[in-house]
Amino acid sequence: MVKLGAVTPILRIFDIAKAHEFYVGFLGFEVQFEHRFDDNAPLYMGISRDGCVLHLSEHHGDGAPGAHIRVEAGDIAALHRELIAKKYRFAWPGVEETPWQTREVTVGDPFGNRLTFYENVA
């Protein structure tokens, strides 16, 4: 029987400093690797936090701005407190209770992508 594994979204970025500020500084991800084919080539970067792995890419054709991904979180209230405590000037997310029995925190990155962190409450 075929068994599928984890999904690793590739999100498009346009500014390395802003990507680091948002994903590492604000969301708390750690850089796992950075790759360029040469010094003048676009960056392809892997980041992770706990079991969540994302790839960020400056390459044309890798993802499109405006993607929206969902990431399951174990304690959404704690994540919300952590993000608010950082006083990141470009995001002040709230917590939403949904009709589909989740609590969610959604943030937009500097490149038009959205990340919704959620926890099931049913």
PDB file of all heavy atoms in Angstrom, residues 77-102:
ATOM      1  N   ALA A  77      -3.372  29.177  21.841  1.00  0.00           N
ATOM      2  CA  ALA A  77      -3.352  30.321  22.759  1.00  0.00           C
ATOM      3  C   ALA A  77      -1.910  30.702  23.110  1.00  0.00           C
ATOM      4  O   ALA A  77      -1.564  31.883  23.146  1.00  0.00           O
ATOM      5  CB  ALA A  77      -4.154  30.024  24.016  1.00  0.00           C
ATOM      6  N   ALA A  78      -1.070  29.721  23.331  1.00  0.00           N
ATOM      7  CA  ALA A  78       0.336  29.989  23.645  1.00  0.00           C
ATOM      8  C   ALA A  78       1.052  30.600  22.437  1.00  0.00           C
ATOM      9  O   ALA A  78       1.854  31.526  22.582  1.00  0.00           O
ATOM     10  CB  ALA A  78       1.043  28.715  24.098  1.00  0.00           C
ATOM     11  N   LEU A  79       0.764  30.082  21.248  1.00  0.00           N
ATOM     12  CA  LEU A  79       1.367  30.650  20.040  1.00  0.00           C
ATOM     13  C   LEU A  79       0.925  32.098  19.876  1.00  0.00           C
ATOM     14  O   LEU A  79       1.744  32.977  19.579  1.00  0.00           O
ATOM     15  CB  LEU A  79       0.983  29.837  18.800  1.00  0.00           C
ATOM     16  CG  LEU A  79       1.495  30.392  17.474  1.00  0.00           C
ATOM     17  CD1 LEU A  79       3.016  30.416  17.428  1.00  0.00           C
ATOM     18  CD2 LEU A  79       0.925  29.622  16.307  1.00  0.00           C
ATOM     19  N   HIS A  80      -0.341  32.365  20.090  1.00  0.00           N
ATOM     20  CA  HIS A  80      -0.858  33.734  19.977  1.00  0.00           C
ATOM     21  C   HIS A  80      -0.149  34.664  20.963  1.00  0.00           C
ATOM     22  O   HIS A  80       0.299  35.751  20.590  1.00  0.00           O
ATOM     23  CB  HIS A  80      -2.375  33.734  20.200  1.00  0.00           C
ATOM     24  CG  HIS A  80      -2.967  35.089  20.082  1.00  0.00           C
ATOM     25  ND1 HIS A  80      -3.422  35.784  21.173  1.00  0.00           N
ATOM     26  CD2 HIS A  80      -3.154  35.882  19.000  1.00  0.00           C
ATOM     27  CE1 HIS A  80      -3.887  36.953  20.764  1.00  0.00           C
ATOM     28  NE2 HIS A  80      -3.733  37.048  19.456  1.00  0.00           N
ATOM     29  N   ARG A  81      -0.024  34.244  22.209  1.00  0.00           N
ATOM     30  CA  ARG A  81       0.682  35.065  23.212  1.00  0.00           C
ATOM     31  C   ARG A  81       2.123  35.323  22.794  1.00  0.00           C
ATOM     32  O   ARG A  81       2.646  36.434  22.934  1.00  0.00           O
ATOM     33  CB  ARG A  81       0.638  34.392  24.584  1.00  0.00           C
ATOM     34  CG  ARG A  81      -0.705  34.465  25.275  1.00  0.00           C
ATOM     35  CD  ARG A  81      -0.636  34.003  26.725  1.00  0.00           C
ATOM     36  NE  ARG A  81      -0.119  32.661  26.900  1.00  0.00           N
ATOM     37  CZ  ARG A  81      -0.855  31.544  26.835  1.00  0.00           C
ATOM     38  NH1 ARG A  81      -2.162  31.612  26.605  1.00  0.00           N
ATOM     39  NH2 ARG A  81      -0.300  30.371  27.014  1.00  0.00           N
ATOM     40  N   GLU A  82       2.780  34.288  22.291  1.00  0.00           N
ATOM     41  CA  GLU A  82       4.180  34.419  21.843  1.00  0.00           C
ATOM     42  C   GLU A  82       4.304  35.457  20.734  1.00  0.00           C
ATOM     43  O   GLU A  82       5.189  36.320  20.767  1.00  0.00           O
ATOM     44  CB  GLU A  82       4.668  33.061  21.345  1.00  0.00           C
ATOM     45  CG  GLU A  82       6.035  33.067  20.731  1.00  0.00           C
ATOM     46  CD  GLU A  82       6.391  31.743  20.084  1.00  0.00           C
ATOM     47  OE1 GLU A  82       6.043  30.673  20.625  1.00  0.00           O
ATOM     48  OE2 GLU A  82       7.008  31.796  19.004  1.00  0.00           O
ATOM     49  N   LEU A  83       3.415  35.390  19.743  1.00  0.00           N
ATOM     50  CA  LEU A  83       3.492  36.316  18.614  1.00  0.00           C
ATOM     51  C   LEU A  83       3.176  37.750  19.041  1.00  0.00           C
ATOM     52  O   LEU A  83       3.880  38.687  18.643  1.00  0.00           O
ATOM     53  CB  LEU A  83       2.541  35.869  17.500  1.00  0.00           C
ATOM     54  CG  LEU A  83       2.878  34.531  16.842  1.00  0.00           C
ATOM     55  CD1 LEU A  83       1.849  34.197  15.769  1.00  0.00           C
ATOM     56  CD2 LEU A  83       4.284  34.494  16.291  1.00  0.00           C
ATOM     57  N   ILE A  84       2.159  37.924  19.851  1.00  0.00           N
ATOM     58  CA  ILE A  84       1.784  39.266  20.309  1.00  0.00           C
ATOM     59  C   ILE A  84       2.910  39.875  21.158  1.00  0.00           C
ATOM     60  O   ILE A  84       3.208  41.070  21.053  1.00  0.00           O
ATOM     61  CB  ILE A  84       0.455  39.219  21.099  1.00  0.00           C
ATOM     62  CG1 ILE A  84      -0.693  38.812  20.173  1.00  0.00           C
ATOM     63  CG2 ILE A  84       0.158  40.545  21.784  1.00  0.00           C
ATOM     64  CD1 ILE A  84      -0.916  39.723  18.998  1.00  0.00           C
ATOM     65  N   ALA A  85       3.567  39.061  21.972  1.00  0.00           N
ATOM     66  CA  ALA A  85       4.642  39.548  22.840  1.00  0.00           C
ATOM     67  C   ALA A  85       5.830  40.085  22.030  1.00  0.00           C
ATOM     68  O   ALA A  85       6.588  40.928  22.522  1.00  0.00           O
ATOM     69  CB  ALA A  85       5.109  38.442  23.784  1.00  0.00           C
ATOM     70  N   LYS A  86       5.991  39.621  20.801  1.00  0.00           N
ATOM     71  CA  LYS A  86       7.121  40.089  19.982  1.00  0.00           C
ATOM     72  C   LYS A  86       6.898  41.491  19.430  1.00  0.00           C
ATOM     73  O   LYS A  86       7.831  42.109  18.939  1.00  0.00           O
ATOM     74  CB  LYS A  86       7.382  39.099  18.853  1.00  0.00           C
ATOM     75  CG  LYS A  86       7.936  37.789  19.388  1.00  0.00           C
ATOM     76  CD  LYS A  86       8.300  36.845  18.292  1.00  0.00           C
ATOM     77  CE  LYS A  86       8.868  35.574  18.904  1.00  0.00           C
ATOM     78  NZ  LYS A  86       9.164  34.573  17.882  1.00  0.00           N
ATOM     79  N   LYS A  87       5.667  41.980  19.477  1.00  0.00           N
ATOM     80  CA  LYS A  87       5.340  43.341  19.018  1.00  0.00           C
ATOM     81  C   LYS A  87       5.898  43.618  17.620  1.00  0.00           C
ATOM     82  O   LYS A  87       6.485  44.666  17.357  1.00  0.00           O
ATOM     83  CB  LYS A  87       5.815  44.376  20.030  1.00  0.00           C
ATOM     84  CG  LYS A  87       5.121  44.210  21.357  1.00  0.00           C
ATOM     85  CD  LYS A  87       5.522  45.250  22.348  1.00  0.00           C
ATOM     86  CE  LYS A  87       4.745  44.952  23.637  1.00  0.00           C
ATOM     87  NZ  LYS A  87       5.049  45.851  24.708  1.00  0.00           N
ATOM     88  N   TYR A  88       5.707  42.662  16.747  1.00  0.00           N
ATOM     89  CA  TYR A  88       6.125  42.798  15.347  1.00  0.00           C
ATOM     90  C   TYR A  88       5.268  43.873  14.696  1.00  0.00           C
ATOM     91  O   TYR A  88       4.045  43.783  14.683  1.00  0.00           O
ATOM     92  CB  TYR A  88       5.965  41.445  14.649  1.00  0.00           C
ATOM     93  CG  TYR A  88       6.372  41.405  13.208  1.00  0.00           C
ATOM     94  CD1 TYR A  88       7.681  41.666  12.823  1.00  0.00           C
ATOM     95  CD2 TYR A  88       5.449  41.064  12.229  1.00  0.00           C
ATOM     96  CE1 TYR A  88       8.063  41.596  11.500  1.00  0.00           C
ATOM     97  CE2 TYR A  88       5.818  40.990  10.892  1.00  0.00           C
ATOM     98  CZ  TYR A  88       7.122  41.260  10.541  1.00  0.00           C
ATOM     99  OH  TYR A  88       7.502  41.187   9.224  1.00  0.00           O
ATOM    100  N   ARG A  89       5.885  44.883  14.178  1.00  0.00           N
ATOM    101  CA  ARG A  89       5.150  46.067  13.723  1.00  0.00           C
ATOM    102  C   ARG A  89       4.260  45.836  12.518  1.00  0.00           C
ATOM    103  O   ARG A  89       3.384  46.640  12.218  1.00  0.00           O
ATOM    104  CB  ARG A  89       6.109  47.213  13.460  1.00  0.00           C
ATOM    105  CG  ARG A  89       7.084  46.937  12.339  1.00  0.00           C
ATOM    106  CD  ARG A  89       8.135  47.975  12.249  1.00  0.00           C
ATOM    107  NE  ARG A  89       7.669  49.095  11.442  1.00  0.00           N
ATOM    108  CZ  ARG A  89       8.449  50.075  11.062  1.00  0.00           C
ATOM    109  NH1 ARG A  89       9.714  50.090  11.423  1.00  0.00           N
ATOM    110  NH2 ARG A  89       7.987  51.047  10.317  1.00  0.00           N
ATOM    111  N   PHE A  90       4.432  44.723  11.800  1.00  0.00           N
ATOM    112  CA  PHE A  90       3.654  44.480  10.592  1.00  0.00           C
ATOM    113  C   PHE A  90       2.548  43.447  10.774  1.00  0.00           C
ATOM    114  O   PHE A  90       1.862  43.109   9.808  1.00  0.00           O
ATOM    115  CB  PHE A  90       4.576  44.050   9.444  1.00  0.00           C
ATOM    116  CG  PHE A  90       5.626  45.080   9.136  1.00  0.00           C
ATOM    117  CD1 PHE A  90       6.959  44.845   9.440  1.00  0.00           C
ATOM    118  CD2 PHE A  90       5.279  46.298   8.580  1.00  0.00           C
ATOM    119  CE1 PHE A  90       7.928  45.804   9.168  1.00  0.00           C
ATOM    120  CE2 PHE A  90       6.237  47.262   8.307  1.00  0.00           C
ATOM    121  CZ  PHE A  90       7.569  47.010   8.600  1.00  0.00           C
ATOM    122  N   ALA A  91       2.368  42.922  11.986  1.00  0.00           N
ATOM    123  CA  ALA A  91       1.301  41.940  12.214  1.00  0.00           C
ATOM    124  C   ALA A  91       0.879  41.970  13.669  1.00  0.00           C
ATOM    125  O   ALA A  91       1.720  41.973  14.570  1.00  0.00           O
ATOM    126  CB  ALA A  91       1.778  40.529  11.841  1.00  0.00           C
ATOM    127  N   TRP A  92      -0.409  41.985  13.878  1.00  0.00           N
ATOM    128  CA  TRP A  92      -0.994  41.912  15.216  1.00  0.00           C
ATOM    129  C   TRP A  92      -2.161  40.932  15.112  1.00  0.00           C
ATOM    130  O   TRP A  92      -3.323  41.331  15.085  1.00  0.00           O
ATOM    131  CB  TRP A  92      -1.447  43.300  15.675  1.00  0.00           C
ATOM    132  CG  TRP A  92      -1.782  43.363  17.117  1.00  0.00           C
ATOM    133  CD1 TRP A  92      -3.033  43.307  17.659  1.00  0.00           C
ATOM    134  CD2 TRP A  92      -0.880  43.468  18.215  1.00  0.00           C
ATOM    135  NE1 TRP A  92      -2.958  43.378  19.017  1.00  0.00           N
ATOM    136  CE2 TRP A  92      -1.640  43.482  19.386  1.00  0.00           C
ATOM    137  CE3 TRP A  92       0.513  43.548  18.314  1.00  0.00           C
ATOM    138  CZ2 TRP A  92      -1.082  43.571  20.651  1.00  0.00           C
ATOM    139  CZ3 TRP A  92       1.059  43.645  19.571  1.00  0.00           C
ATOM    140  CH2 TRP A  92       0.279  43.662  20.717  1.00  0.00           C
ATOM    141  N   PRO A  93      -1.852  39.617  15.035  1.00  0.00           N
ATOM    142  CA  PRO A  93      -2.913  38.645  14.761  1.00  0.00           C
ATOM    143  C   PRO A  93      -3.847  38.433  15.950  1.00  0.00           C
ATOM    144  O   PRO A  93      -3.465  38.610  17.099  1.00  0.00           O
ATOM    145  CB  PRO A  93      -2.133  37.362  14.461  1.00  0.00           C
ATOM    146  CG  PRO A  93      -0.854  37.519  15.214  1.00  0.00           C
ATOM    147  CD  PRO A  93      -0.540  38.992  15.192  1.00  0.00           C
ATOM    148  N   GLY A  94      -5.063  38.066  15.616  1.00  0.00           N
ATOM    149  CA  GLY A  94      -6.042  37.682  16.628  1.00  0.00           C
ATOM    150  C   GLY A  94      -6.269  36.182  16.596  1.00  0.00           C
ATOM    151  O   GLY A  94      -5.660  35.467  15.792  1.00  0.00           O
ATOM    152  N   VAL A  95      -7.146  35.713  17.463  1.00  0.00           N
ATOM    153  CA  VAL A  95      -7.538  34.302  17.484  1.00  0.00           C
ATOM    154  C   VAL A  95      -8.991  34.236  17.035  1.00  0.00           C
ATOM    155  O   VAL A  95      -9.833  34.980  17.533  1.00  0.00           O
ATOM    156  CB  VAL A  95      -7.403  33.690  18.896  1.00  0.00           C
ATOM    157  CG1 VAL A  95      -7.879  32.245  18.897  1.00  0.00           C
ATOM    158  CG2 VAL A  95      -5.975  33.783  19.387  1.00  0.00           C
ATOM    159  N   GLU A  96      -9.262  33.350  16.083  1.00  0.00           N
ATOM    160  CA  GLU A  96     -10.622  33.184  15.568  1.00  0.00           C
ATOM    161  C   GLU A  96     -11.148  31.800  15.932  1.00  0.00           C
ATOM    162  O   GLU A  96     -10.439  30.809  15.768  1.00  0.00           O
ATOM    163  CB  GLU A  96     -10.622  33.342  14.046  1.00  0.00           C
ATOM    164  CG  GLU A  96     -11.972  33.127  13.417  1.00  0.00           C
ATOM    165  CD  GLU A  96     -11.937  33.151  11.901  1.00  0.00           C
ATOM    166  OE1 GLU A  96     -10.837  33.278  11.317  1.00  0.00           O
ATOM    167  OE2 GLU A  96     -13.014  33.036  11.300  1.00  0.00           O
ATOM    168  N   GLU A  97     -12.371  31.741  16.422  1.00  0.00           N
ATOM    169  CA  GLU A  97     -13.067  30.468  16.639  1.00  0.00           C
ATOM    170  C   GLU A  97     -13.933  30.234  15.408  1.00  0.00           C
ATOM    171  O   GLU A  97     -14.744  31.092  15.051  1.00  0.00           O
ATOM    172  CB  GLU A  97     -13.928  30.542  17.900  1.00  0.00           C
ATOM    173  CG  GLU A  97     -13.125  30.875  19.127  1.00  0.00           C
ATOM    174  CD  GLU A  97     -13.180  29.807  20.189  1.00  0.00           C
ATOM    175  OE1 GLU A  97     -13.929  28.823  20.039  1.00  0.00           O
ATOM    176  OE2 GLU A  97     -12.455  29.960  21.174  1.00  0.00           O
ATOM    177  N   THR A  98     -13.758  29.092  14.768  1.00  0.00           N
ATOM    178  CA  THR A  98     -14.451  28.855  13.502  1.00  0.00           C
ATOM    179  C   THR A  98     -15.658  27.931  13.671  1.00  0.00           C
ATOM    180  O   THR A  98     -15.717  27.154  14.626  1.00  0.00           O
ATOM    181  CB  THR A  98     -13.493  28.203  12.484  1.00  0.00           C
ATOM    182  OG1 THR A  98     -13.181  26.877  12.927  1.00  0.00           O
ATOM    183  CG2 THR A  98     -12.226  29.032  12.315  1.00  0.00           C
ATOM    184  N   PRO A  99     -16.587  27.973  12.712  1.00  0.00           N
ATOM    185  CA  PRO A  99     -17.724  27.054  12.738  1.00  0.00           C
ATOM    186  C   PRO A  99     -17.312  25.590  12.524  1.00  0.00           C
ATOM    187  O   PRO A  99     -18.069  24.688  12.816  1.00  0.00           O
ATOM    188  CB  PRO A  99     -18.604  27.531  11.571  1.00  0.00           C
ATOM    189  CG  PRO A  99     -18.130  28.890  11.225  1.00  0.00           C
ATOM    190  CD  PRO A  99     -16.704  28.981  11.671  1.00  0.00           C
ATOM    191  N   TRP A 100     -16.088  25.373  12.004  1.00  0.00           N
ATOM    192  CA  TRP A 100     -15.620  23.993  11.774  1.00  0.00           C
ATOM    193  C   TRP A 100     -14.769  23.487  12.931  1.00  0.00           C
ATOM    194  O   TRP A 100     -13.960  22.585  12.776  1.00  0.00           O
ATOM    195  CB  TRP A 100     -14.884  23.870  10.435  1.00  0.00           C
ATOM    196  CG  TRP A 100     -13.856  24.928  10.161  1.00  0.00           C
ATOM    197  CD1 TRP A 100     -12.533  24.901  10.481  1.00  0.00           C
ATOM    198  CD2 TRP A 100     -14.080  26.182   9.512  1.00  0.00           C
ATOM    199  NE1 TRP A 100     -11.924  26.057  10.080  1.00  0.00           N
ATOM    200  CE2 TRP A 100     -12.848  26.869   9.475  1.00  0.00           C
ATOM    201  CE3 TRP A 100     -15.210  26.796   8.958  1.00  0.00           C
ATOM    202  CZ2 TRP A 100     -12.703  28.124   8.909  1.00  0.00           C
ATOM    203  CZ3 TRP A 100     -15.050  28.050   8.400  1.00  0.00           C
ATOM    204  CH2 TRP A 100     -13.814  28.696   8.384  1.00  0.00           C
ATOM    205  N   GLN A 101     -14.981  24.089  14.111  1.00  0.00           N
ATOM    206  CA  GLN A 101     -14.422  23.593  15.369  1.00  0.00           C
ATOM    207  C   GLN A 101     -12.901  23.697  15.463  1.00  0.00           C
ATOM    208  O   GLN A 101     -12.222  22.755  15.876  1.00  0.00           O
ATOM    209  CB  GLN A 101     -14.863  22.143  15.634  1.00  0.00           C
ATOM    210  CG  GLN A 101     -16.368  21.930  15.627  1.00  0.00           C
ATOM    211  CD  GLN A 101     -17.054  22.744  16.712  1.00  0.00           C
ATOM    212  OE1 GLN A 101     -16.643  22.707  17.848  1.00  0.00           O
ATOM    213  NE2 GLN A 101     -18.087  23.486  16.345  1.00  0.00           N
ATOM    214  N   THR A 102     -12.374  24.843  15.062  1.00  0.00           N
ATOM    215  CA  THR A 102     -10.952  25.113  15.246  1.00  0.00           C
ATOM    216  C   THR A 102     -10.782  26.498  15.856  1.00  0.00           C
ATOM    217  O   THR A 102     -11.680  27.339  15.762  1.00  0.00           O
ATOM    218  CB  THR A 102     -10.165  25.078  13.911  1.00  0.00           C
ATOM    219  OG1 THR A 102     -10.671  26.083  13.036  1.00  0.00           O
ATOM    220  CG2 THR A 102     -10.226  23.710  13.255  1.00  0.00           C
TER     221      THR A 102
END
